[in-house]
Amino acid sequence: MPEQILSLARAAFDAAPPLGDPAYARYCRELAGHLKARWHEIQTANQADIARAQMRGLPPTLVARLRLTDEHLEGMVELTGAVERELTAVLAGTPEIPAGDWGILRRVPKPLGVALMIYEARPTVTVDGALLPVAVGNAVLLRGGKESAATDAALAEVVKSALAAAGLPTGLVTVLDDPDRSLMKGILARPDQVDVLIPRGSPSLIEYCRTASSIPLIASGGGVNHLYVHRTADLALAARVTLNSKVPEPAGCTSVEMVLVDQEIAADFLAAVLAECERQDAQLTVRLDASVKQPAARDDSPWRTEPLEPHDLGREFLDPVIGLRPVPGLEAAADHIRAYGSRHTEGVLTEDPAAAQQFARQVDAAMIVVNGSLRLHDGPKLGLGSEISIATGRLHVRGPVTLGALVTSTWVVEANGELRG
């Protein structure tokens, strides 16, 4: 079974037109049209997935990941347009470079090849995976979570119809629907057929992919993220940033999990956060270090507090929950992040530019946010372009994985008969 899947993907990649062919821009438009035309069909499948997830007792935040709404459709359609517009910059290549006094050197973009994406049960990622890699000439194998199987199957049919309408090989996108783990093990063992592996999800998933395969990896996910509140911070701003970094997407990879606050302002910061919860009517649980006095919540309070436990350090809560831990200062905060962070997104709140600079020097992450929400770590929001994931590794790409990171290049030299002596 793996051999047949890999052969079909490789054959589709080999048969696809070269990067820059009009068929790729046409595919972006066709995918938007097919998503809109078959939206009712997609939603019917999605409702079946939601019903099964609720019957199994999945947490509300994970059920919310599965649900597709009309707003998601609008976002996916907007994404197809953005990707089409961004193709021009990706295809531009580099200016001609003189090669000595005898030739011209050019760098020409080329697809990475066949990509394998493994990700959590989030149907919007299926569309991301079927769009971004393919728009720049790659073939892609998509393995989503079993909880979204019906939705992914419906999306697979839509994608294949769009590929055919655009004049591209339908095998450029394969949604893997076989839950047998031996299938995935077989594919992971084929670096000769799969050129790049893109896991999106928990640290355990990424570590499994890293150790189970020698396929080059663009590691994404594992958002054990922190905010450090320096003693000079504007506490009202810090409270707003904390809530915005957690409440809208509590299970997102840019969500804050632990707030580290200078110990002399810990009580005042907590009061500011709880007051902001009241103002926004934001549901939040704060797990407090034993050194912080637990305030008494009213019956109608949107917040509550619990003790912070040792196993909460380095944990993704995947719920509207944060930890709060006082620290002696910036050095201690950096040490904590070094011990427990996932090098995804870290933030500092301070009115002291020197403290911000020191934090940025000492803390290692794909992105460091100064005086802002951790959820700013997003390709479109930052003006970097559409993204398929956020990479936490050190090679090839780090941070938003945009279209430009889904291509490699070929050097073309116009040699004019030059020989090497």
Side-chain angles (χ1 to χ4, degrees), residues 1-12 141 171 174 176 178 183 186-187 190 193:
M1 181 69 78
E3 190 60 45
Q4 182 181 8
I5 291 170
L6 293 169
S7 295
L8 291 173
R10 181 60 62 179
L141 308 172
T174 303
L176 301 171
D178 189 336
L183 171 65
I187 294 175
R190 295 299 303 274
Q193 291 286 0

Side-chain angles (χ1 to χ4, degrees), residues 61-298:
T61 50
L62 297 186
V63 174
R65 280 184 173 188
L66 291 173
R67 183 173 284 111
L68 288 179
T69 65
D70 290 346
E71 187 176 349
H72 287 115
L73 174 62
E74 292 175 11
M76 290 186 283
V77 170
E78 288 175 6
L79 179 65
T80 61
V83 168
E84 182 181 359
R85 291 189 297 274
E86 291 161 16
L87 284 174
T88 302
V90 176
L91 299 174
T94 58
E96 293 183 344
I97 303 169
D101 59 0
W102 50 266
I104 295 294
L105 194 60
R106 291 180 290 115
R107 195 169 187 171
V108 178
K110 293 289 182 71
L112 292 175
V114 176
L116 168 61
M117 273 190 66
I118 307 174
Y119 50 98
E120 72 281 4
R122 196 187 289 246
T124 54
V125 179
T126 302
V127 176
D128 296 345
L131 174 61
L132 274 75
V134 174
V136 287
N138 300 289
V140 64
L141 308 172
L142 301 174
R143 174 63 176 268
K146 62 184 178 182
E147 297 84 359
S148 59
T151 311
D152 287 345
L155 288 170
E157 292 303 314
V158 170
V159 167
K160 289 194 178 296
S161 297
L163 286 166
L168 291 170
T170 58
L172 285 178
V173 177
T174 303
V175 175
L176 301 171
D177 56 4
D178 189 336
D180 188 349
R181 291 189 177 184
S182 64
L183 171 65
M184 190 52 51
K185 287 182 179 179
I187 294 175
L188 289 171
R190 295 299 303 274
D192 59 317
Q193 291 286 0
V194 179
D195 298 289
V196 62
L197 172 57
I198 309 175
R200 278 188 54 166
S202 67
S204 59
L205 169 65
I206 293 168
E207 187 59 26
Y208 171 74
C209 291
R210 199 187 306 278
T211 57
S213 178
S214 60
I215 298 170
L217 187 76
I218 299 177
S220 306
V224 182
N225 307 316
H226 303 78
L227 280 169
Y228 167 54
V229 184
H230 186 256
R231 59 183 56 86
T232 64
D234 177 330
L235 294 185
L237 172 64
R240 293 194 300 273
V241 165
T242 299
L243 264 61
N244 188 260
S245 297
K246 168 56 77 170
V247 175
E249 296 180 279
C253 66
T254 55
S255 170
V256 64
E257 307 300 338
M258 181 69 69
V259 181
L260 306 168
V261 56
D262 280 343
Q263 54 196 15
E264 62 265 40
I265 62 166
D268 291 340
F269 169 73
L270 175 61
V273 168
L274 301 185
E276 189 64 22
C277 286
E278 299 272 2
R279 192 184 72 80
Q280 296 185 23
D281 193 28
Q283 301 292 320
L284 183 69
T285 297
V286 184
R287 296 196 173 171
L288 293 173
D289 184 85
S291 64
V292 182
K293 183 180 177 182
Q294 293 206 25
R298 304 185 314 273

